Amino acid sequence: MRVTQKVKKILDWYEGDPPGVKANLARILCTGRLGGTGKVVILPVDQGFEHGPARKFRAESGGLRPHYHYSSRSRPG
């Protein structure tokens, strides 16, 4: 895993945290298409549990697939 200068700058904000926390954060920030940019996309898959059951989050609805949430099928109208 290559840690970029951008990610190192972000990790400097967490100087009081244990090394394991910083290592996990670095792993998240350096993985995937946005790896090394200092950006992360976190999708709210657990909203059905927080806001009550909804059809959108049933297993067969597609709500558990990340691409579903920004596709045209998930938008009303």
Side-chain angles (χ1 to χ4, degrees):
M1 171 178 72
R2 185 175 159 264
V3 179
T4 63
Q5 289 299 320
K6 184 80 168 178
V7 172
K8 286 179 184 179
K9 186 175 181 179
I10 293 170
L11 293 175
D12 287 343
W13 300 337
Y14 295 89
E15 63 186 36
D17 287 313
V21 171
K22 290 175 72 172
N24 286 334
L25 183 57
R27 191 173 300 118
I28 291 169
L29 290 169
C30 292
T31 303
R33 284 189 177 179
L34 297 175
T37 64
K39 298 176 183 177
V40 175
V41 176
I42 299 174
L43 299 172
V45 176
D46 67 338
Q47 292 236 334
F49 298 110
E50 293 176 15
H51 303 288
R55 288 182 294 159
K56 190 174 191 176
F57 291 98
R58 286 190 306 207
E60 65 274 3
S61 73
L64 296 177
R65 292 191 316 268
H67 289 59
Y68 173 83
H69 294 284
Y70 62 86
S71 70
S72 60
R73 288 179 290 155
S74 67
R75 295 185 197 129

